[in-house]
Amino acid sequence: MTRTSVLNQIHLFLPSKDSSKSTVFNLRLKDQDCLSLLKRCKSMEEFKQVHAQMLKLGLLCDSFCSNNLVASCALSNWGSMDYACSIFRQIEDPDTFVFNTMIRGHAKDASFEEAFLLYYEMFDRGIEPDNFTYPALLKACPALLKACAQRRALEKGMQIHGHIFKLGLEVDVFVQNSLISMYGKCGKIELACAVFELMDQKSVASWSAIIGAHASLGLWCEGLMLFGEMNREGCWRAEESTLVSVLSACTHLGSFDLGRCTHGSLLRNISGINVIVETSLIDMYVKCGSLEKGLSIFQNMAKKNQFSYTVMISGLAMHGRGREALRVFSEMFEEGMIPDGVVYVGLLSACSHAGLVKEGLQCFDRMKYKHGIDPTIQHYGCLVDLMGQAGMLNEAFELINSMPIEPNDVVWRSLLSACKVHHNLELGEIAAKNLGQLKSHNPSDYVILSNMYARAQRWEDVARIRTEMVDKGIEQKPGCSLVEVKRKVHKFVSQDMSHPQCHGIHEMIHQMEWQLKFEGYSPDTSQVLLDVDEEEKRERLKAHSQKLAIAFALIHTSQGSPIRIARNLRMCSDCHTYTKYISMIYEREITVRDRYRFHHFQNGTCSCSDYW
DNA sequence: CTAGGGTTAG
């Protein structure tokens, strides 16, 4: 029913000049009719009008009706908690029902404090909470978490858990699922697991919650293992929300094949994939290296939300397609969506990867002045990156000095690597000094600086950095590479030869080396900052995780099939060169995702044009 | 009339 027709119906119920007519209608109008009328409202404004007129007629006064009214305002997508509160406060004897609704409404609005105050008010008034109260309340804990108070959120959550015990409620599956989710979101995976394991009846939602908890904490392999366990143990068919977490795990692990399978199972088993699932699919395809597939899902979506746009924009950014990211952004704007800080992080990084300096600076201004978003350190980080990569080193440095927030290590590191690319040792030293003061002992910072000294032939300084690293006990963080072969993700850690098929890999590497040498490759040992001889350096270089992963993939995949690798760190320049050669010699397309972007290797060249 | 599980950057 449209809005006008709801209002037209109201007029029938209003007292009219013709008193006989109004009496007839008044007699026929019951509370139930009013409620169903109110349920059809599509906006707060409409609801208020209708409600006011109902009150004039002296209707909707009992607790059942009030509860319904509060539920409409608090839980519908057009509702307003303010109005819900005003109705709620007029209720003389609020019951557990209406308290539950109000708490849930506050949780939905991410206002934890209000939710918790209502909970205490229940005790003061002697109203007993029930099994419906706790899921609502537990849902509010992550809201508190969002306000940057992890410790407090957890404390509150545990306090609630304690109350549930004390009240001696029979804890049902809903409450348990909420507990799992709450502990998961507050970063306490062991507590989430404890609740999960103690459950005697697990629902699909319980599995979703525990898998989601693992996935959101970066325990992706564990999440996938639980998914396997769920499939073995249960007779349920996984639902969309479980598969969303599975897809998210695939995304982070770069598990293209498993992701594609999950997509297939969604298509087979579920009619009409919803926005959230579609968004996770886009994210999965894009971050597993298939931008085109992601784009095609995006373009065919019936409904897009804030997340969909954010995912697409940051995806385009990772692949260096800045112009398209800007176009998707304007599309989002035309759809009437209000961009948030996260979209702008994606947009700014898109500009920086594509070298769109002017556009990036415009975006930054637009964000601040048009959308009133206070730039966070991430936004400044993108901006420093943007300027630095474009060679505007002094401007970047000035920006850091004039920022209203304290620069962090990421910002200084951005400047440092820009200085390396554009050979500005002087500024590089300043950046490195600031990194040192931040006590951020990231080994790659030392490597970069030392390489810069080496380029300037300042060998004493190179030696000084090395000693400093030894003195501080800084070792290069082991790199790790993930590669998927026959739907199984294999993890390789630099220098680690514990893979079951280590022997074969070793032989393959040996064979590869001969061919590489023949084509003119020579190892670049300048990346190895260890006080060992050249031979040892070459050995260490050979055992970089990316090379192990490539060797493994070459052995176990068929000739000509693409290889996809996901890494935890940036690639070293030796691995970059090495992979270019391999793509040519073995005629393979190799896609490597590092921490910042994608590299597509083919026929001896890389899509990043050797600039990253 | 009220309930559980899900997607994004760094």
Side-chain angles (χ1 to χ4, degrees):
Chain A
M1 190 183 285
T2 62
R3 181 199 153 135
T4 39
S5 59
V6 173
L7 285 178
N8 283 343
Q9 277 194 313
I10 302 296
H11 291 303
L12 294 176
F13 302 132
L14 291 178
S16 75
K17 281 171 195 154
D18 181 353
S19 58
S20 62
K21 197 177 170 188
S22 77
T23 322
V24 172
F25 281 111
N26 273 340
L27 278 174
R28 281 172 51 186
L29 190 66
K30 299 237 172 56
D31 280 349
Q32 269 302 336
D33 303 319
C34 293
L35 288 177
S36 66
L37 214 54
L38 280 164
K39 268 200 179 145
R40 293 203 190 104
C41 290
K42 292 278 185 297
S43 73
M44 204 55 233
E45 196 193 330
E46 189 181 17
F47 183 90
K48 280 182 190 172
Q49 283 183 32
V50 180
H51 182 213
Q53 291 174 348
M54 299 289 174
L55 287 177
K56 264 193 221 157
L57 294 170
L59 291 157
L60 303 173
C61 290
D62 67 359
S63 85
F64 177 83
C65 286
S66 312
N67 289 355
N68 264 287
L69 293 173
V70 171
S72 296
C73 297
L75 305 177
S76 67
N77 49 11
W78 46 260
S80 131
M81 269 320 273
D82 286 343
Y83 199 65
C85 284
S86 76
I87 303 176
F88 173 70
R89 286 302 163 201
Q90 283 164 29
I91 302 173
E92 274 181 33
D93 276 318
D95 55 10
T96 307
F97 272 118
V98 73
F99 267 103
N100 291 349
T101 309
M102 285 296 291
I103 291 175
R104 190 165 139 71
H106 282 307
K108 191 174 156 240
D109 271 14
S111 37
F112 174 85
E113 301 292 348
E114 283 85 349
F116 219 75
L117 283 174
L118 280 174
Y119 176 60
Y120 283 133
E121 192 181 330
M122 289 178 81
F123 281 101
D124 289 345
R125 290 184 175 223
I127 300 165
E128 290 261 307
D130 63 9
N131 264 338
F132 285 78
T133 314
Y134 287 103
L137 203 56
L138 288 165
K139 212 171 186 170
C141 290
L144 180 64
L145 194 65
K146 258 198 179 158
C148 294
Q150 168 136 11
R151 222 194 61 245
R152 280 197 53 212
L154 182 65
E155 272 170 19
K156 286 288 185 191
M158 293 178 83
Q159 192 183 341
I160 299 169
H161 197 169
H163 284 194
I164 298 173
F165 261 120
K166 241 197 276 173
L167 288 171
L169 279 173
E170 195 184 320
V171 182
D172 64 8
V173 68
F174 289 94
V175 176
Q176 286 172 318
N177 292 345
S178 308
L179 281 169
I180 295 172
S181 166
M182 183 274 294
Y183 281 130
K185 284 181 183 139
C186 293
K188 287 288 165 192
I189 196 69
E190 57 296 3
L191 293 174
C193 287
V195 176
F196 181 74
E197 273 151 27
L198 285 173
M199 293 175 78
D200 33 48
Q201 270 202 320
K202 294 171 180 125
S203 66
V204 186
S206 322
W207 285 99
S208 297
I210 197 74
I211 294 171
H214 281 90
S216 66
L217 291 173
L219 304 162
W220 301 297
C221 289
E222 290 82 349
L224 289 182
M225 266 146 66
L226 278 161
F227 179 59
E229 208 177 300
M230 168 184 175
N231 286 334
R232 277 192 302 278
E233 219 174 271
C235 49
W236 316 287
R237 176 171 288 169
E239 289 177 6
E240 285 166 295
S241 38
T242 324
L243 294 181
V244 166
S245 296
V246 172
L247 280 173
S248 165
C250 294
T251 305
H252 292 280
L253 294 170
S255 172
F256 184 74
D257 284 345
L258 185 59
R260 208 163 34 174
C261 275
T262 310
H263 187 189
S265 113
L266 276 164
L267 291 177
R268 279 192 307 276
N269 300 325
I270 289 161
S271 59
I273 297 178
N274 70 25
V275 201
I276 300 178
V277 182
E278 278 180 314
T279 304
S280 345
L281 279 170
I282 296 173
D283 198 38
M284 184 275 293
Y285 278 119
V286 168
K287 291 196 185 135
C288 288
S290 179
L291 179 67
E292 302 309 323
K293 189 88 184 138
L295 269 171
S296 96
I297 297 178
F298 181 74
Q299 279 151 1
N300 290 317
M301 279 171 91
K303 237 197 224 163
K304 295 170 188 156
N305 64 15
Q306 192 92 15
F307 281 88
S308 327
Y309 281 101
T310 309
V311 162
M312 199 63 250
I313 289 171
S314 357
L316 287 163
M318 285 189 92
H319 287 267
R321 312 253 289 247
R323 293 267 169 219
E324 284 160 84
L326 285 166
R327 220 177 45 225
V328 172
F329 180 73
S330 48
E331 193 189 308
M332 169 180 179
F333 204 62
E334 282 157 21
E335 289 289 317
M337 273 178 225
I338 299 161
D340 63 1
V342 184
V343 183
Y344 272 108
V345 172
L347 205 59
L348 290 171
S349 83
C351 291
S352 113
H353 283 310
L356 304 170
V357 179
K358 199 181 80 214
E359 290 81 352
L361 294 174
Q362 275 171 2
C363 282
F364 190 72
D365 281 342
R366 195 171 173 184
M367 173 179 93
K368 272 200 300 197
Y369 302 116
K370 196 163 170 191
H371 295 118
I373 298 168
D374 281 334
T376 64
I377 196 71
Q378 280 100 340
H379 297 109
Y380 282 109
C382 290
L383 219 52
V384 169
D385 213 42
L386 176 82
M387 293 172 166
Q389 287 209 40
M392 300 158 63
L393 296 176
N394 291 324
E395 287 87 340
F397 184 51
E398 272 167 33
L399 176 71
I400 295 179
N401 288 325
S402 64
M403 280 167 22
I405 28 184
E406 277 297 301
N408 65 359
D409 58 326
V410 180
V411 169
W412 287 116
R413 194 164 298 126
S414 255
L415 185 66
L416 178 63
S417 37
C419 289
K420 186 200 168 192
V421 174
H422 295 284
H423 310 305
N424 186 330
L425 185 52
E426 201 187 329
L427 211 50
E429 281 179 317
I430 295 176
K433 202 175 134 203
N434 278 286
L435 280 165
Q437 274 169 4
L438 285 171
K439 305 239 183 306
S440 145
H441 298 306
N442 190 326
S444 67
D445 301 340
Y446 291 85
V447 178
I448 292 178
L449 188 63
S450 139
N451 283 350
M452 287 172 78
Y453 282 132
R455 191 177 177 277
Q457 316 239 319
R458 285 169 56 174
W459 306 114
E460 325 80 69
D461 289 310
V462 175
R464 179 171 56 80
I465 300 282
R466 285 188 189 193
T467 340
E468 204 179 318
M469 281 183 82
V470 174
D471 288 349
K472 290 185 181 161
I474 297 164
E475 279 180 42
Q476 293 205 37
K477 185 161 68 173
C480 91
S481 297
L482 304 168
V483 67
E484 192 177 43
V485 170
K486 298 188 181 90
R487 283 179 210 169
K488 199 167 179 301
V489 177
H490 298 262
K491 181 177 176 177
F492 294 91
V493 180
S494 262
Q495 318 301 326
D496 178 22
M497 279 299 172
S498 64
H499 194 276
Q501 300 190 31
C502 149
H503 186 66
I505 294 167
H506 229 71
E507 272 186 5
M508 188 67 200
I509 286 198
H510 196 65
Q511 190 192 325
M512 283 152 74
E513 203 180 41
W514 276 103
Q515 306 220 37
L516 284 160
K517 271 193 189 145
F518 184 74
E519 294 291 337
Y521 159 84
S522 67
D524 173 10
T525 50
S526 70
Q527 303 281 324
V528 184
L529 276 200
L530 287 171
D531 200 14
V532 290
D533 60 27
E534 279 298 302
E535 182 52 32
E536 168 71 18
K537 281 184 186 174
R538 277 200 291 274
E539 282 304 314
R540 295 194 75 90
L541 216 49
K542 255 201 296 199
H544 274 184
S545 66
Q546 186 170 321
K547 291 163 187 155
L548 302 179
I550 291 176
F552 182 78
L554 283 175
I555 301 171
H556 292 98
T557 58
S558 55
Q559 181 75 46
S561 62
I563 297 173
R564 298 164 201 274
I565 290 170
R567 322 179 22 113
N568 65 338
L569 302 173
R570 283 196 181 193
M571 224 180 293
C572 80
S573 63
D574 183 64
C575 282
H576 198 261
T577 315
Y578 188 99
T579 311
K580 283 198 286 184
Y581 276 106
I582 295 283
S583 75
M584 180 177 66
I585 298 166
Y586 291 86
E587 294 177 2
R588 294 286 192 119
E589 207 183 314
I590 303 172
T591 307
V592 182
R593 183 185 94 194
D594 72 12
R595 204 131 177 74
Y596 295 92
R597 62 172 300 158
F598 274 96
H599 297 262
H600 296 281
F601 297 92
Q602 201 168 11
N603 300 323
T605 59
C606 177
S607 63
C608 74
S609 312
D610 299 345
Y611 176 68
W612 81 95

